[in-house]
Amino acid sequence: MLGGGGARAAYQVGVLRAIARRHPQLQIPLLTGVSAGAINISHLASFEGSLEESVEALADLWQNLQLENVFRTAGASLLWRAFKVGLRLSFGLPSFLEPVHGMVDTQPLREYLYQSLQTDDGVLMGIDRNLAAGRLQGVALTANSYATGDTVVFFRGHEIDAWERPRRKSVETRLTIEHIMASSSLPLLFPPVRVGDQWYGDGGIRLNSPLGPAVHMGANRLLVISTHFQGTSETPPSVPEPPSPATVLATMYNALFLDQLDQDIHHMTRTNQLVQHLSPELRNDLREVGLLVIQPSIDIGAIAFELKDRVPRTFRHLLKRLGSGQSSSEDLLSTMLFHPDYVQRLMEIGQHDGESQADRIAVFLSDA
């Protein structure tokens, strides 16, 4: 299971590279992802080859990624969209101006995914071929419906029944580029994405059980790669000014896309402990699910702060107006810093973390 975090998802690729190099022929039957993690999952599920070959191809995708491959970075485009958003909020948008639904235009990301995943009509046919060949059992991408507010899990798989829970449901379907775009559409910044007759946004919105899709699909062991640095809790210094909009947005995005995964991991750990102490006849539908979580060993938001001057000037100007750059850890910028230098640093950290836990991972993978 791969969580979200925008550009931070490059860290996941580094961890996967460490695992794949030690276990090149490993087959992972169930793949689930949300937000930026959905991009990585879709690639892994579509690639027809060994895990090592798949991860190296995914690493190439990230290493060739530029900010302009994610959204339009031209100054005129950014300023015009920002102007129309501000005008709409302040006075309403005149009828002769076409409304915008997001601070940036993400059509470049859609085009990059079409090219990288080698699809002409948007359908991820590699997933169906891997399912038919037995290399894959199921894959799921999570998005949020703006019409109903429900979390919707789009999945494809063998012998997997659809499920429904309060505010959560699953839909079996052939997965496409639009499902990836919907799952990774950061609210406010990225525009909503239409799938079928509904509009969807980032799957992290209201997702209180990120591990749920894998469990519903039948997983009995879960390898989770998070992009959330835990660190140590320290008493912050006294700050005379209120937090900037950038700090508020970063806190909101962390709550939406990172904190909920931490909470679900905690909940599953507690549930496993409970199941271990229950006799089989008292467990009902509860079962123990093996869990291995890998998280960054250092603050990758602080690395974003070091590289804050690498983004295009206009985009840097807009971020500065939001108050970005006032903290030594740039959590908001870290989600948007699709820059080769940042991507490479995160992949190196992920590979180091994966290698440092190689024995623990090997035991987990071989534990029956």
Side-chain angles (χ1 to χ4, degrees):
M1 186 277 164
L2 302 183
R8 302 185 197 197
Y11 169 82
Q12 298 169 345
V13 182
V15 176
L16 289 169
R17 175 179 267 175
I19 294 173
R21 289 184 174 177
R22 182 155 177 172
H23 309 275
Q25 301 303 318
L26 173 68
Q27 290 189 0
I28 305 175
L30 297 173
L31 300 170
T32 74
V34 60
S35 195
I39 297 176
N40 291 337
I41 285 296
S42 298
H43 178 91
L44 296 174
S46 301
F47 193 89
E48 299 173 69
S50 69
L51 178 64
E52 185 175 29
E53 294 169 336
S54 175
V55 171
E56 288 306 316
L58 180 60
D60 288 340
L61 183 156
W62 275 92
Q63 288 170 329
N64 292 320
L65 187 66
Q66 304 279 346
L67 191 62
E68 52 264 30
N69 297 130
V70 181
F71 55 83
R72 301 196 192 282
T73 60
S77 174
L78 287 172
L79 292 175
W80 179 237
R81 292 180 74 91
F83 169 75
K84 288 204 288 186
V85 168
L87 185 63
R88 186 176 188 179
L89 290 174
S90 301
F91 307 105
L93 200 64
S95 58
F96 61 86
L97 286 179
E98 181 182 355
V100 294
H101 304 282
M103 291 293 294
V104 297
D105 180 358
T106 54
Q107 182 61 24
L109 176 59
R110 180 178 282 104
E111 295 171 356
Y112 191 69
L113 291 175
Y114 265 83
Q115 177 185 358
S116 301
L117 296 175
Q118 299 179 353
T119 174
D120 295 326
D121 58 2
V123 178
L124 305 180
M125 294 301 299
I127 291 177
D128 287 348
R129 288 193 286 267
N130 282 329
L131 287 168
R135 292 186 290 266
L136 184 65
Q137 183 180 337
V139 56
L141 309 178
T142 303
N144 180 268
S145 169
Y146 282 123
T148 65
D150 291 342
T151 294
V152 180
V153 179
F154 298 102
F155 75 96
R156 188 80 166 166
H158 281 319
E159 300 180 355
I160 298 175
D161 296 327
W163 65 92
E164 188 166 349
R165 296 291 186 272
R167 312 304 304 183
R168 291 182 286 148
K169 69 176 184 178
S170 63
V171 176
E172 184 171 13
T173 185
R174 178 168 285 180
L175 297 173
T176 69
I177 296 294
E178 295 311 299
H179 292 104
I180 305 174
M181 293 294 296
S183 181
S184 55
S185 180
L186 291 167
L188 300 180
L189 289 175
F190 290 3
V193 176
R194 186 164 187 163
V195 177
D197 59 354
Q198 299 291 333
W199 292 94
Y200 293 88
D202 198 293
I205 306 172
R206 304 186 73 168
L207 180 59
N208 56 15
S209 183
L211 306 181
V215 175
H216 284 298
M217 290 197 297
N220 53 36
R221 280 178 292 167
L222 269 175
L223 172 62
V224 181
I225 306 178
S226 170
T227 62
H228 196 189
F229 170 68
Q230 292 283 4
T232 57
S233 298
E234 299 178 354
T235 302
S238 176
V239 179
E241 298 294 330
S244 68
T247 301
V248 174
L249 278 173
T251 301
M252 182 183 73
Y253 279 174
N254 283 343
L256 285 175
F257 309 124
L258 304 178
D259 295 350
Q260 293 185 35
L261 179 56
D262 292 340
Q263 289 298 319
D264 205 23
I265 290 169
H266 176 73
H267 176 74
M268 180 169 284
T269 301
R270 295 291 299 272
T271 301
N272 283 338
Q273 294 171 348
L274 174 64
V275 171
Q276 291 171 3
H277 290 86
L278 287 176
S279 58
E281 62 273 11
L282 295 178
R283 292 179 182 178
N284 295 322
D285 293 331
L286 293 177
R287 71 178 191 276
E288 185 175 358
V289 178
L291 189 61
L292 176 62
V293 182
I294 300 177
Q295 293 177 283
S297 56
I298 65 175
D299 185 356
I300 55 182
I303 299 174
F305 178 80
E306 297 172 13
L307 301 176
K308 62 182 183 300
D309 293 332
R310 308 291 175 92
V311 299
R313 181 179 301 174
T314 304
F315 186 59
R316 186 166 67 245
H317 173 78
L318 293 175
L319 287 175
K320 189 175 182 179
R321 298 284 73 78
L322 289 173
S324 182
Q326 297 179 2
S327 170
S328 60
S329 181
E330 283 290 335
D331 284 343
L332 177 62
L333 178 61
S334 70
T335 67
M336 308 293 289
L337 192 55
F338 294 92
H339 188 280
D341 292 346
Y342 187 56
V343 166
Q344 185 62 36
R345 288 280 295 277
L346 295 196
M347 288 176 57
E348 291 171 356
I349 295 168
Q351 186 170 347
H352 173 270
D353 290 351
E355 291 170 349
S356 67
Q357 301 187 56
D359 292 341
R360 180 170 168 239
I361 294 170
V363 171
F364 179 79
L365 295 177
S366 62
D367 184 8

